[in-house]
Amino acid sequence: ETGVTQTPRHLVMGMTNKKSLKCEQHLGHNAMYWYKQSAKKPLELMFVYSLEERVENNSVPSRFSPECPNSSHLFLHLHTLQPEDSALYLCASSQVFLGETQYFGPGTRLLVL
Amino acid sequence: GNSVTQMEGPVTLSEEAFLTINCTYTATGYPSLFWYVQYPGEGLQLLLKATKADDKGSNKGFEATYRKETTSFHLEKGSVQVSDSAVYFCALSDQVGGYQKVTFGTGTKLQVIP
């Protein structure tokens, strides 16, 4: 595997379910990001981990819980979501330095019923 | 805070037409500027970037010049192809504490028809 991978690619869940999204980067980067992409809205930065430490939590509801066990893996744990949480969730990685390119995974398309 | 404004889409062009997608930004300091492209069913991928004023980024026939005086980073291509149909995002990054924070525009959908 190369680049940034995300699993699952598609997920349908009820509001009472608990699920997790997984992201893995094979680029040797030291920062990882979760973004939410909704129709007709800019990408929303949700969480940032730099050197495995969470450095940004952009006022995200507590029903989203990130985990970064090492520099290559990032998880987003989901529980009691709302229908408005349906979106494409993108993971990205980069080096921490200014001007470095962020590399994105293909995303997980989430539908909350 | 930082912000990025790009032209509303969708933009529909005939093959071989000239493309311009406008992008302006507001930022303190000296951000780096990017254009990312998203093809259907995929994540974003870097198209080009510029890290300081007057730099020109270029890739696959696309170009954009970092204009500090007009706070702009317009994307251009001389002759578009059907395969260029995608959503294009302008973005800036700024160093915030221990990481770089990227601010994205809303995206401009480009459709190229044969």
Side-chain angles (χ1 to χ4, degrees), chain B residues 38-76:
Chain B
Q38 186 177 30
Y39 298 101
E42 298 182 14
L44 280 70
Q45 57 185 274
L46 178 72
L47 180 59
L48 52 85
K49 71 177 183 181
T51 57
K52 61 182 188 296
D54 299 326
D55 269 2
K56 177 187 284 188
S58 61
N59 185 28
K60 299 180 182 179
F62 291 89
E63 292 183 340
T65 301
Y66 189 165
R67 301 286 188 201
K68 190 166 175 62
E69 65 276 13
T70 54
T71 61
S72 64
F73 193 55
H74 304 320
L75 181 68
E76 296 183 336

PDB file of all heavy atoms in Angstrom, chain B residues 38-76:
ATOM      1  N   GLN B  38      -9.963  17.473  -6.899  1.00  0.00           N
ATOM      2  CA  GLN B  38     -10.673  16.279  -6.426  1.00  0.00           C
ATOM      3  C   GLN B  38     -11.482  15.696  -7.574  1.00  0.00           C
ATOM      4  O   GLN B  38     -12.422  16.318  -8.071  1.00  0.00           O
ATOM      5  CB  GLN B  38     -11.597  16.629  -5.256  1.00  0.00           C
ATOM      6  CG  GLN B  38     -12.270  15.416  -4.620  1.00  0.00           C
ATOM      7  CD  GLN B  38     -13.118  15.792  -3.416  1.00  0.00           C
ATOM      8  OE1 GLN B  38     -13.669  16.892  -3.340  1.00  0.00           O
ATOM      9  NE2 GLN B  38     -13.224  14.888  -2.451  1.00  0.00           N
ATOM     10  N   TYR B  39     -11.105  14.495  -7.995  1.00  0.00           N
ATOM     11  CA  TYR B  39     -11.857  13.784  -9.017  1.00  0.00           C
ATOM     12  C   TYR B  39     -12.969  12.990  -8.341  1.00  0.00           C
ATOM     13  O   TYR B  39     -12.883  12.663  -7.148  1.00  0.00           O
ATOM     14  CB  TYR B  39     -10.927  12.867  -9.812  1.00  0.00           C
ATOM     15  CG  TYR B  39      -9.852  13.618 -10.554  1.00  0.00           C
ATOM     16  CD1 TYR B  39      -8.551  13.689 -10.052  1.00  0.00           C
ATOM     17  CD2 TYR B  39     -10.134  14.296 -11.734  1.00  0.00           C
ATOM     18  CE1 TYR B  39      -7.563  14.400 -10.716  1.00  0.00           C
ATOM     19  CE2 TYR B  39      -9.155  15.010 -12.402  1.00  0.00           C
ATOM     20  CZ  TYR B  39      -7.873  15.061 -11.880  1.00  0.00           C
ATOM     21  OH  TYR B  39      -6.906  15.785 -12.534  1.00  0.00           O
ATOM     22  N   PRO B  40     -14.019  12.675  -9.066  1.00  0.00           N
ATOM     23  CA  PRO B  40     -15.166  11.974  -8.469  1.00  0.00           C
ATOM     24  C   PRO B  40     -14.743  10.714  -7.734  1.00  0.00           C
ATOM     25  O   PRO B  40     -13.986   9.892  -8.243  1.00  0.00           O
ATOM     26  CB  PRO B  40     -16.041  11.659  -9.684  1.00  0.00           C
ATOM     27  CG  PRO B  40     -15.712  12.715 -10.684  1.00  0.00           C
ATOM     28  CD  PRO B  40     -14.244  12.996 -10.498  1.00  0.00           C
ATOM     29  N   GLY B  41     -15.249  10.577  -6.502  1.00  0.00           N
ATOM     30  CA  GLY B  41     -14.992   9.376  -5.719  1.00  0.00           C
ATOM     31  C   GLY B  41     -13.604   9.300  -5.112  1.00  0.00           C
ATOM     32  O   GLY B  41     -13.219   8.257  -4.567  1.00  0.00           O
ATOM     33  N   GLU B  42     -12.852  10.384  -5.179  1.00  0.00           N
ATOM     34  CA  GLU B  42     -11.494  10.365  -4.647  1.00  0.00           C
ATOM     35  C   GLU B  42     -11.281  11.476  -3.632  1.00  0.00           C
ATOM     36  O   GLU B  42     -12.102  12.383  -3.500  1.00  0.00           O
ATOM     37  CB  GLU B  42     -10.489  10.516  -5.793  1.00  0.00           C
ATOM     38  CG  GLU B  42     -10.546   9.408  -6.812  1.00  0.00           C
ATOM     39  CD  GLU B  42      -9.494   9.570  -7.895  1.00  0.00           C
ATOM     40  OE1 GLU B  42      -8.564  10.384  -7.730  1.00  0.00           O
ATOM     41  OE2 GLU B  42      -9.599   8.871  -8.929  1.00  0.00           O
ATOM     42  N   GLY B  43     -10.167  11.394  -2.922  1.00  0.00           N
ATOM     43  CA  GLY B  43      -9.773  12.475  -2.035  1.00  0.00           C
ATOM     44  C   GLY B  43      -9.104  13.587  -2.825  1.00  0.00           C
ATOM     45  O   GLY B  43      -8.975  13.515  -4.040  1.00  0.00           O
ATOM     46  N   LEU B  44      -8.676  14.616  -2.096  1.00  0.00           N
ATOM     47  CA  LEU B  44      -7.999  15.731  -2.758  1.00  0.00           C
ATOM     48  C   LEU B  44      -6.552  15.342  -3.061  1.00  0.00           C
ATOM     49  O   LEU B  44      -5.913  14.609  -2.310  1.00  0.00           O
ATOM     50  CB  LEU B  44      -7.997  16.969  -1.855  1.00  0.00           C
ATOM     51  CG  LEU B  44      -9.267  17.799  -1.802  1.00  0.00           C
ATOM     52  CD1 LEU B  44     -10.380  17.063  -1.087  1.00  0.00           C
ATOM     53  CD2 LEU B  44      -8.992  19.139  -1.119  1.00  0.00           C
ATOM     54  N   GLN B  45      -6.030  15.875  -4.152  1.00  0.00           N
ATOM     55  CA  GLN B  45      -4.619  15.688  -4.460  1.00  0.00           C
ATOM     56  C   GLN B  45      -4.026  17.021  -4.890  1.00  0.00           C
ATOM     57  O   GLN B  45      -4.704  17.843  -5.510  1.00  0.00           O
ATOM     58  CB  GLN B  45      -4.407  14.615  -5.526  1.00  0.00           C
ATOM     59  CG  GLN B  45      -5.122  14.842  -6.830  1.00  0.00           C
ATOM     60  CD  GLN B  45      -4.952  13.663  -7.776  1.00  0.00           C
ATOM     61  OE1 GLN B  45      -3.969  13.593  -8.502  1.00  0.00           O
ATOM     62  NE2 GLN B  45      -5.888  12.738  -7.769  1.00  0.00           N
ATOM     63  N   LEU B  46      -2.765  17.222  -4.551  1.00  0.00           N
ATOM     64  CA  LEU B  46      -2.110  18.477  -4.868  1.00  0.00           C
ATOM     65  C   LEU B  46      -1.984  18.651  -6.372  1.00  0.00           C
ATOM     66  O   LEU B  46      -1.543  17.745  -7.079  1.00  0.00           O
ATOM     67  CB  LEU B  46      -0.724  18.522  -4.235  1.00  0.00           C
ATOM     68  CG  LEU B  46       0.068  19.786  -4.543  1.00  0.00           C
ATOM     69  CD1 LEU B  46      -0.529  20.967  -3.788  1.00  0.00           C
ATOM     70  CD2 LEU B  46       1.542  19.606  -4.170  1.00  0.00           C
ATOM     71  N   LEU B  47      -2.355  19.844  -6.855  1.00  0.00           N
ATOM     72  CA  LEU B  47      -2.154  20.162  -8.249  1.00  0.00           C
ATOM     73  C   LEU B  47      -0.883  21.008  -8.416  1.00  0.00           C
ATOM     74  O   LEU B  47      -0.024  20.714  -9.227  1.00  0.00           O
ATOM     75  CB  LEU B  47      -3.355  20.925  -8.797  1.00  0.00           C
ATOM     76  CG  LEU B  47      -3.317  21.337 -10.264  1.00  0.00           C
ATOM     77  CD1 LEU B  47      -3.176  20.133 -11.171  1.00  0.00           C
ATOM     78  CD2 LEU B  47      -4.566  22.140 -10.614  1.00  0.00           C
ATOM     79  N   LEU B  48      -0.766  22.069  -7.605  1.00  0.00           N
ATOM     80  CA  LEU B  48       0.431  22.903  -7.620  1.00  0.00           C
ATOM     81  C   LEU B  48       0.460  23.747  -6.356  1.00  0.00           C
ATOM     82  O   LEU B  48      -0.546  23.865  -5.663  1.00  0.00           O
ATOM     83  CB  LEU B  48       0.478  23.800  -8.869  1.00  0.00           C
ATOM     84  CG  LEU B  48      -0.740  24.668  -9.185  1.00  0.00           C
ATOM     85  CD1 LEU B  48      -0.703  25.986  -8.432  1.00  0.00           C
ATOM     86  CD2 LEU B  48      -0.838  24.927 -10.683  1.00  0.00           C
ATOM     87  N   LYS B  49       1.625  24.333  -6.087  1.00  0.00           N
ATOM     88  CA  LYS B  49       1.734  25.180  -4.910  1.00  0.00           C
ATOM     89  C   LYS B  49       2.791  26.250  -5.113  1.00  0.00           C
ATOM     90  O   LYS B  49       3.635  26.141  -6.026  1.00  0.00           O
ATOM     91  CB  LYS B  49       2.054  24.348  -3.672  1.00  0.00           C
ATOM     92  CG  LYS B  49       3.465  23.769  -3.630  1.00  0.00           C
ATOM     93  CD  LYS B  49       3.677  23.019  -2.314  1.00  0.00           C
ATOM     94  CE  LYS B  49       5.096  22.491  -2.195  1.00  0.00           C
ATOM     95  NZ  LYS B  49       5.293  21.728  -0.925  1.00  0.00           N
ATOM     96  N   ALA B  50       2.744  27.280  -4.263  1.00  0.00           N
ATOM     97  CA  ALA B  50       3.747  28.338  -4.257  1.00  0.00           C
ATOM     98  C   ALA B  50       3.961  28.764  -2.811  1.00  0.00           C
ATOM     99  O   ALA B  50       2.992  28.928  -2.067  1.00  0.00           O
ATOM    100  CB  ALA B  50       3.294  29.526  -5.098  1.00  0.00           C
ATOM    101  N   THR B  51       5.188  28.905  -2.423  1.00  0.00           N
ATOM    102  CA  THR B  51       5.468  29.148  -1.009  1.00  0.00           C
ATOM    103  C   THR B  51       5.880  30.584  -0.688  1.00  0.00           C
ATOM    104  O   THR B  51       5.970  30.948   0.486  1.00  0.00           O
ATOM    105  CB  THR B  51       6.562  28.192  -0.501  1.00  0.00           C
ATOM    106  OG1 THR B  51       7.725  28.368  -1.312  1.00  0.00           O
ATOM    107  CG2 THR B  51       6.093  26.745  -0.578  1.00  0.00           C
ATOM    108  N   LYS B  52       6.113  31.411  -1.704  1.00  0.00           N
ATOM    109  CA  LYS B  52       6.424  32.810  -1.414  1.00  0.00           C
ATOM    110  C   LYS B  52       5.967  33.690  -2.566  1.00  0.00           C
ATOM    111  O   LYS B  52       5.700  33.216  -3.670  1.00  0.00           O
ATOM    112  CB  LYS B  52       7.908  33.003  -1.133  1.00  0.00           C
ATOM    113  CG  LYS B  52       8.833  32.639  -2.263  1.00  0.00           C
ATOM    114  CD  LYS B  52      10.274  32.825  -1.819  1.00  0.00           C
ATOM    115  CE  LYS B  52      11.245  32.669  -2.966  1.00  0.00           C
ATOM    116  NZ  LYS B  52      11.251  31.325  -3.528  1.00  0.00           N
ATOM    117  N   ALA B  53       5.886  34.990  -2.271  1.00  0.00           N
ATOM    118  CA  ALA B  53       5.386  35.955  -3.242  1.00  0.00           C
ATOM    119  C   ALA B  53       6.160  35.884  -4.560  1.00  0.00           C
ATOM    120  O   ALA B  53       7.385  35.703  -4.564  1.00  0.00           O
ATOM    121  CB  ALA B  53       5.456  37.361  -2.663  1.00  0.00           C
ATOM    122  N   ASP B  54       5.411  36.003  -5.663  1.00  0.00           N
ATOM    123  CA  ASP B  54       5.910  35.983  -7.040  1.00  0.00           C
ATOM    124  C   ASP B  54       6.315  34.599  -7.527  1.00  0.00           C
ATOM    125  O   ASP B  54       6.674  34.445  -8.698  1.00  0.00           O
ATOM    126  CB  ASP B  54       7.074  36.960  -7.233  1.00  0.00           C
ATOM    127  CG  ASP B  54       6.672  38.393  -6.943  1.00  0.00           C
ATOM    128  OD1 ASP B  54       5.512  38.745  -7.233  1.00  0.00           O
ATOM    129  OD2 ASP B  54       7.502  39.145  -6.400  1.00  0.00           O
ATOM    130  N   ASP B  55       6.243  33.594  -6.674  1.00  0.00           N
ATOM    131  CA  ASP B  55       6.481  32.224  -7.128  1.00  0.00           C
ATOM    132  C   ASP B  55       5.362  31.800  -8.063  1.00  0.00           C
ATOM    133  O   ASP B  55       4.194  32.147  -7.852  1.00  0.00           O
ATOM    134  CB  ASP B  55       6.498  31.252  -5.948  1.00  0.00           C
ATOM    135  CG  ASP B  55       7.891  31.062  -5.387  1.00  0.00           C
ATOM    136  OD1 ASP B  55       8.832  31.714  -5.879  1.00  0.00           O
ATOM    137  OD2 ASP B  55       8.015  30.254  -4.448  1.00  0.00           O
ATOM    138  N   LYS B  56       5.705  31.013  -9.063  1.00  0.00           N
ATOM    139  CA  LYS B  56       4.706  30.432  -9.950  1.00  0.00           C
ATOM    140  C   LYS B  56       4.720  28.924  -9.761  1.00  0.00           C
ATOM    141  O   LYS B  56       5.773  28.294  -9.905  1.00  0.00           O
ATOM    142  CB  LYS B  56       4.973  30.772 -11.413  1.00  0.00           C
ATOM    143  CG  LYS B  56       3.986  30.123 -12.380  1.00  0.00           C
ATOM    144  CD  LYS B  56       4.373  30.332 -13.842  1.00  0.00           C
ATOM    145  CE  LYS B  56       4.054  31.709 -14.308  1.00  0.00           C
ATOM    146  NZ  LYS B  56       4.257  31.851 -15.778  1.00  0.00           N
ATOM    147  N   GLY B  57       3.562  28.366  -9.439  1.00  0.00           N
ATOM    148  CA  GLY B  57       3.432  26.919  -9.401  1.00  0.00           C
ATOM    149  C   GLY B  57       2.877  26.441 -10.723  1.00  0.00           C
ATOM    150  O   GLY B  57       2.051  27.117 -11.347  1.00  0.00           O
ATOM    151  N   SER B  58       3.328  25.263 -11.168  1.00  0.00           N
ATOM    152  CA  SER B  58       2.821  24.734 -12.431  1.00  0.00           C
ATOM    153  C   SER B  58       2.855  23.216 -12.407  1.00  0.00           C
ATOM    154  O   SER B  58       3.715  22.600 -11.768  1.00  0.00           O
ATOM    155  CB  SER B  58       3.643  25.260 -13.612  1.00  0.00           C
ATOM    156  OG  SER B  58       4.978  24.854 -13.499  1.00  0.00           O
ATOM    157  N   ASN B  59       1.884  22.628 -13.118  1.00  0.00           N
ATOM    158  CA  ASN B  59       1.792  21.170 -13.186  1.00  0.00           C
ATOM    159  C   ASN B  59       0.721  20.805 -14.204  1.00  0.00           C
ATOM    160  O   ASN B  59      -0.362  21.398 -14.208  1.00  0.00           O
ATOM    161  CB  ASN B  59       1.429  20.589 -11.815  1.00  0.00           C
ATOM    162  CG  ASN B  59       1.445  19.071 -11.795  1.00  0.00           C
ATOM    163  OD1 ASN B  59       2.163  18.434 -12.547  1.00  0.00           O
ATOM    164  ND2 ASN B  59       0.643  18.491 -10.914  1.00  0.00           N
ATOM    165  N   LYS B  60       1.003  19.863 -15.067  1.00  0.00           N
ATOM    166  CA  LYS B  60       0.040  19.325 -16.043  1.00  0.00           C
ATOM    167  C   LYS B  60      -0.596  20.426 -16.881  1.00  0.00           C
ATOM    168  O   LYS B  60      -1.771  20.332 -17.255  1.00  0.00           O
ATOM    169  CB  LYS B  60      -1.067  18.544 -15.321  1.00  0.00           C
ATOM    170  CG  LYS B  60      -0.565  17.351 -14.529  1.00  0.00           C
ATOM    171  CD  LYS B  60      -1.729  16.634 -13.855  1.00  0.00           C
ATOM    172  CE  LYS B  60      -1.243  15.466 -13.018  1.00  0.00           C
ATOM    173  NZ  LYS B  60      -2.346  14.758 -12.335  1.00  0.00           N
ATOM    174  N   GLY B  61       0.124  21.498 -17.158  1.00  0.00           N
ATOM    175  CA  GLY B  61      -0.396  22.591 -17.969  1.00  0.00           C
ATOM    176  C   GLY B  61      -1.119  23.665 -17.177  1.00  0.00           C
ATOM    177  O   GLY B  61      -1.475  24.705 -17.721  1.00  0.00           O
ATOM    178  N   PHE B  62      -1.343  23.417 -15.903  1.00  0.00           N
ATOM    179  CA  PHE B  62      -1.952  24.408 -15.024  1.00  0.00           C
ATOM    180  C   PHE B  62      -0.863  25.311 -14.423  1.00  0.00           C
ATOM    181  O   PHE B  62       0.246  24.850 -14.154  1.00  0.00           O
ATOM    182  CB  PHE B  62      -2.717  23.732 -13.878  1.00  0.00           C
ATOM    183  CG  PHE B  62      -3.960  22.996 -14.300  1.00  0.00           C
ATOM    184  CD1 PHE B  62      -3.893  21.662 -14.669  1.00  0.00           C
ATOM    185  CD2 PHE B  62      -5.187  23.639 -14.308  1.00  0.00           C
ATOM    186  CE1 PHE B  62      -5.037  20.979 -15.055  1.00  0.00           C
ATOM    187  CE2 PHE B  62      -6.340  22.956 -14.681  1.00  0.00           C
ATOM    188  CZ  PHE B  62      -6.263  21.627 -15.056  1.00  0.00           C
ATOM    189  N   GLU B  63      -1.228  26.575 -14.214  1.00  0.00           N
ATOM    190  CA  GLU B  63      -0.294  27.525 -13.602  1.00  0.00           C
ATOM    191  C   GLU B  63      -1.042  28.438 -12.634  1.00  0.00           C
ATOM    192  O   GLU B  63      -2.234  28.710 -12.829  1.00  0.00           O
ATOM    193  CB  GLU B  63       0.343  28.432 -14.663  1.00  0.00           C
ATOM    194  CG  GLU B  63       1.273  27.736 -15.612  1.00  0.00           C
ATOM    195  CD  GLU B  63       1.910  28.721 -16.581  1.00  0.00           C
ATOM    196  OE1 GLU B  63       1.355  29.825 -16.758  1.00  0.00           O
ATOM    197  OE2 GLU B  63       2.957  28.387 -17.150  1.00  0.00           O
ATOM    198  N   ALA B  64      -0.325  28.923 -11.616  1.00  0.00           N
ATOM    199  CA  ALA B  64      -0.863  29.949 -10.727  1.00  0.00           C
ATOM    200  C   ALA B  64       0.308  30.710 -10.142  1.00  0.00           C
ATOM    201  O   ALA B  64       1.336  30.112  -9.799  1.00  0.00           O
ATOM    202  CB  ALA B  64      -1.702  29.329  -9.617  1.00  0.00           C
ATOM    203  N   THR B  65       0.169  32.028 -10.013  1.00  0.00           N
ATOM    204  CA  THR B  65       1.236  32.877  -9.502  1.00  0.00           C
ATOM    205  C   THR B  65       0.797  33.517  -8.193  1.00  0.00           C
ATOM    206  O   THR B  65      -0.302  34.070  -8.100  1.00  0.00           O
ATOM    207  CB  THR B  65       1.614  33.966 -10.512  1.00  0.00           C
ATOM    208  OG1 THR B  65       2.036  33.343 -11.726  1.00  0.00           O
ATOM    209  CG2 THR B  65       2.752  34.822  -9.973  1.00  0.00           C
ATOM    210  N   TYR B  66       1.645  33.459  -7.202  1.00  0.00           N
ATOM    211  CA  TYR B  66       1.409  34.014  -5.864  1.00  0.00           C
ATOM    212  C   TYR B  66       1.579  35.527  -5.946  1.00  0.00           C
ATOM    213  O   TYR B  66       2.687  36.041  -6.049  1.00  0.00           O
ATOM    214  CB  TYR B  66       2.436  33.388  -4.917  1.00  0.00           C
ATOM    215  CG  TYR B  66       2.286  33.643  -3.440  1.00  0.00           C
ATOM    216  CD1 TYR B  66       2.993  32.849  -2.536  1.00  0.00           C
ATOM    217  CD2 TYR B  66       1.510  34.649  -2.910  1.00  0.00           C
ATOM    218  CE1 TYR B  66       2.907  33.036  -1.170  1.00  0.00           C
ATOM    219  CE2 TYR B  66       1.421  34.859  -1.552  1.00  0.00           C
ATOM    220  CZ  TYR B  66       2.121  34.048  -0.681  1.00  0.00           C
ATOM    221  OH  TYR B  66       2.031  34.248   0.682  1.00  0.00           O
ATOM    222  N   ARG B  67       0.466  36.243  -5.903  1.00  0.00           N
ATOM    223  CA  ARG B  67       0.479  37.697  -5.992  1.00  0.00           C
ATOM    224  C   ARG B  67       0.143  38.291  -4.632  1.00  0.00           C
ATOM    225  O   ARG B  67      -1.022  38.326  -4.222  1.00  0.00           O
ATOM    226  CB  ARG B  67      -0.560  38.180  -7.016  1.00  0.00           C
ATOM    227  CG  ARG B  67      -0.360  37.650  -8.417  1.00  0.00           C
ATOM    228  CD  ARG B  67       0.786  38.308  -9.107  1.00  0.00           C
ATOM    229  NE  ARG B  67       0.855  37.932 -10.533  1.00  0.00           N
ATOM    230  CZ  ARG B  67       1.937  38.038 -11.269  1.00  0.00           C
ATOM    231  NH1 ARG B  67       3.076  38.484 -10.736  1.00  0.00           N
ATOM    232  NH2 ARG B  67       1.918  37.690 -12.552  1.00  0.00           N
ATOM    233  N   LYS B  68       1.167  38.763  -3.948  1.00  0.00           N
ATOM    234  CA  LYS B  68       0.934  39.304  -2.609  1.00  0.00           C
ATOM    235  C   LYS B  68       0.218  40.649  -2.670  1.00  0.00           C
ATOM    236  O   LYS B  68      -0.623  40.969  -1.833  1.00  0.00           O
ATOM    237  CB  LYS B  68       2.260  39.431  -1.865  1.00  0.00           C
ATOM    238  CG  LYS B  68       2.114  39.759  -0.395  1.00  0.00           C
ATOM    239  CD  LYS B  68       3.402  39.528   0.345  1.00  0.00           C
ATOM    240  CE  LYS B  68       3.289  39.978   1.796  1.00  0.00           C
ATOM    241  NZ  LYS B  68       2.252  39.210   2.502  1.00  0.00           N
ATOM    242  N   GLU B  69       0.520  41.447  -3.699  1.00  0.00           N
ATOM    243  CA  GLU B  69      -0.066  42.791  -3.769  1.00  0.00           C
ATOM    244  C   GLU B  69      -1.578  42.750  -3.992  1.00  0.00           C
ATOM    245  O   GLU B  69      -2.292  43.640  -3.544  1.00  0.00           O
ATOM    246  CB  GLU B  69       0.634  43.612  -4.871  1.00  0.00           C
ATOM    247  CG  GLU B  69       0.453  43.099  -6.283  1.00  0.00           C
ATOM    248  CD  GLU B  69       1.436  42.009  -6.677  1.00  0.00           C
ATOM    249  OE1 GLU B  69       2.122  41.455  -5.775  1.00  0.00           O
ATOM    250  OE2 GLU B  69       1.507  41.692  -7.875  1.00  0.00           O
ATOM    251  N   THR B  70      -2.052  41.704  -4.666  1.00  0.00           N
ATOM    252  CA  THR B  70      -3.491  41.571  -4.884  1.00  0.00           C
ATOM    253  C   THR B  70      -4.083  40.414  -4.065  1.00  0.00           C
ATOM    254  O   THR B  70      -5.274  40.115  -4.211  1.00  0.00           O
ATOM    255  CB  THR B  70      -3.795  41.325  -6.376  1.00  0.00           C
ATOM    256  OG1 THR B  70      -3.034  40.187  -6.826  1.00  0.00           O
ATOM    257  CG2 THR B  70      -3.445  42.546  -7.215  1.00  0.00           C
ATOM    258  N   THR B  71      -3.277  39.807  -3.220  1.00  0.00           N
ATOM    259  CA  THR B  71      -3.664  38.632  -2.407  1.00  0.00           C
ATOM    260  C   THR B  71      -4.450  37.641  -3.248  1.00  0.00           C
ATOM    261  O   THR B  71      -5.580  37.240  -2.914  1.00  0.00           O
ATOM    262  CB  THR B  71      -4.451  39.033  -1.140  1.00  0.00           C
ATOM    263  OG1 THR B  71      -5.668  39.698  -1.500  1.00  0.00           O
ATOM    264  CG2 THR B  71      -3.627  39.929  -0.251  1.00  0.00           C
ATOM    265  N   SER B  72      -3.847  37.237  -4.364  1.00  0.00           N
ATOM    266  CA  SER B  72      -4.540  36.334  -5.278  1.00  0.00           C
ATOM    267  C   SER B  72      -3.648  35.178  -5.690  1.00  0.00           C
ATOM    268  O   SER B  72      -2.405  35.253  -5.597  1.00  0.00           O
ATOM    269  CB  SER B  72      -5.004  37.095  -6.521  1.00  0.00           C
ATOM    270  OG  SER B  72      -3.899  37.574  -7.250  1.00  0.00           O
ATOM    271  N   PHE B  73      -4.293  34.111  -6.172  1.00  0.00           N
ATOM    272  CA  PHE B  73      -3.583  32.912  -6.631  1.00  0.00           C
ATOM    273  C   PHE B  73      -4.486  32.244  -7.660  1.00  0.00           C
ATOM    274  O   PHE B  73      -4.977  31.142  -7.471  1.00  0.00           O
ATOM    275  CB  PHE B  73      -3.278  32.001  -5.439  1.00  0.00           C
ATOM    276  CG  PHE B  73      -2.291  30.901  -5.714  1.00  0.00           C
ATOM    277  CD1 PHE B  73      -1.028  31.166  -6.216  1.00  0.00           C
ATOM    278  CD2 PHE B  73      -2.618  29.574  -5.428  1.00  0.00           C
ATOM    279  CE1 PHE B  73      -0.111  30.156  -6.448  1.00  0.00           C
ATOM    280  CE2 PHE B  73      -1.706  28.548  -5.652  1.00  0.00           C
ATOM    281  CZ  PHE B  73      -0.451  28.841  -6.169  1.00  0.00           C
ATOM    282  N   HIS B  74      -4.692  32.919  -8.778  1.00  0.00           N
ATOM    283  CA  HIS B  74      -5.638  32.455  -9.787  1.00  0.00           C
ATOM    284  C   HIS B  74      -5.073  31.275 -10.559  1.00  0.00           C
ATOM    285  O   HIS B  74      -3.910  31.288 -10.975  1.00  0.00           O
ATOM    286  CB  HIS B  74      -5.977  33.582 -10.767  1.00  0.00           C
ATOM    287  CG  HIS B  74      -6.504  34.810 -10.108  1.00  0.00           C
ATOM    288  ND1 HIS B  74      -7.381  34.787  -9.045  1.00  0.00           N
ATOM    289  CD2 HIS B  74      -6.252  36.127 -10.371  1.00  0.00           C
ATOM    290  CE1 HIS B  74      -7.667  36.014  -8.689  1.00  0.00           C
ATOM    291  NE2 HIS B  74      -7.000  36.859  -9.468  1.00  0.00           N
ATOM    292  N   LEU B  75      -5.924  30.298 -10.831  1.00  0.00           N
ATOM    293  CA  LEU B  75      -5.518  29.093 -11.569  1.00  0.00           C
ATOM    294  C   LEU B  75      -5.838  29.285 -13.052  1.00  0.00           C
ATOM    295  O   LEU B  75      -6.948  29.715 -13.394  1.00  0.00           O
ATOM    296  CB  LEU B  75      -6.265  27.874 -11.027  1.00  0.00           C
ATOM    297  CG  LEU B  75      -5.926  26.538 -11.672  1.00  0.00           C
ATOM    298  CD1 LEU B  75      -4.500  26.112 -11.322  1.00  0.00           C
ATOM    299  CD2 LEU B  75      -6.915  25.459 -11.214  1.00  0.00           C
ATOM    300  N   GLU B  76      -4.879  28.938 -13.916  1.00  0.00           N
ATOM    301  CA  GLU B  76      -5.079  29.071 -15.357  1.00  0.00           C
ATOM    302  C   GLU B  76      -4.579  27.833 -16.085  1.00  0.00           C
ATOM    303  O   GLU B  76      -3.647  27.170 -15.645  1.00  0.00           O
ATOM    304  CB  GLU B  76      -4.326  30.312 -15.894  1.00  0.00           C
ATOM    305  CG  GLU B  76      -4.820  31.613 -15.350  1.00  0.00           C
ATOM    306  CD  GLU B  76      -4.091  32.809 -15.953  1.00  0.00           C
ATOM    307  OE1 GLU B  76      -2.951  32.632 -16.422  1.00  0.00           O
ATOM    308  OE2 GLU B  76      -4.656  33.906 -15.945  1.00  0.00           O
TER     309      GLU B  76
END
